[in-house]
Amino acid sequence: MIYSKTARAGFIIMLVSTMIALTSCCIHRQTKKGMDDINIACDSTASSFMGDSIFSIFTSARSATAVNKSISLSNTTDTTVILKPDATATLRFMIETPNNYLSDNPVYGLFNPSVIYIFKSGKKEISVVFDFGLEKWGISDEAGKLLFTRDLRNNDILRFSRHIFPTDPLLESIDKK
């Protein structure tokens, strides 16, 4: 079994290129799988807590509408703002934060939403309501019935709401405390 130098060189080149191709395919698949696991972990907390029907409306909505229920606004201020898609995605990301689902401590006071974000998907809608005075948030159905409430764990959504409604003195005073 005597092979020429060119045949041996060709065989070695073919063997090395096959090894490189197989190695690069394996590395790419593992990296992609790792990223999918991270996305599933973030979404699963909100999904399991809200339930599939509410979560599907929440995630499939292309835009959201912000409604300011503050009584301290002047009559010339817009109380309803339709959010752009990138702002809707940012809001959705903040609401899906797993820390927002950890607790529902009892507080003294009536839940009175300061800002409501309405997500519509087809004919269905849900409202994500925020009472920044009580530091609570919840989700209500189309009829306005509060389905659940939880504690707000940080001021991110309050600052986001101040950006949407910059002239609201109530939001400003709550943010400064």
Side-chain angles (χ1 to χ4, degrees):
M1 291 206 193
I2 299 175
Y3 297 107
S4 68
K5 288 184 179 183
T6 54
R8 278 190 275 169
F11 180 72
I12 291 174
I13 290 172
M14 182 185 69
L15 194 62
V16 170
S17 63
T18 303
M19 288 174 39
I20 290 172
L22 290 174
T23 303
S24 67
C25 290
C26 293
I27 290 173
H28 178 69
R29 284 188 186 134
Q30 289 175 355
T31 303
K32 188 173 186 321
K33 184 178 184 295
M35 293 304 291
D36 288 344
D37 290 344
I38 291 170
N39 290 337
I40 290 169
C42 292
D43 293 341
S44 65
T45 303
S47 175
S48 63
F49 186 79
M50 288 183 188
D52 290 338
S53 59
I54 295 172
F55 191 69
S56 66
I57 297 169
F58 177 70
T59 56
S60 64
R62 301 230 183 260
S63 66
T65 304
V67 179
N68 191 330
K69 301 300 263 182
S70 175
I71 57 172
S72 59
L73 287 175
S74 68
N75 292 337
T76 60
T77 306
D78 285 338
T79 57
T80 303
V81 176
I82 297 173
L83 300 180
K84 294 181 179 177
D86 58 337
T88 302
T90 302
L91 177 63
R92 190 179 291 125
F93 176 77
M94 288 188 289
I95 292 170
E96 287 181 0
T97 302
N99 285 344
N100 284 333
Y101 299 91
L102 293 179
S103 63
D104 184 19
N105 295 324
V107 293
Y108 298 102
L110 182 64
F111 188 88
N112 187 16
S114 311
V115 177
I116 299 172
Y117 293 99
I118 302 168
F119 293 86
K120 290 184 182 180
S121 177
K123 294 182 180 180
K124 298 180 180 180
E125 73 177 45
I126 60 159
S127 299
V128 183
V129 295
F130 295 92
D131 185 340
F132 297 115
L134 292 179
E135 297 179 348
K136 293 279 195 181
W137 74 280
I139 291 187
S140 63
D141 60 9
E142 294 175 23
K145 179 184 173 192
L146 201 57
L147 302 174
F148 67 82
T149 60
R150 287 289 180 254
D151 295 328
L152 278 172
R153 304 295 284 187
N154 55 43
N155 286 336
D156 293 343
I157 298 175
L158 173 60
R159 290 185 314 207
F160 180 84
S161 298
R162 279 197 62 202
H163 178 71
I164 302 298
F165 301 106
T167 60
D168 185 351
L170 178 65
L171 295 178
E172 181 180 354
S173 66
I174 293 172
D175 191 27
K176 288 184 178 180
K177 72 172 186 169

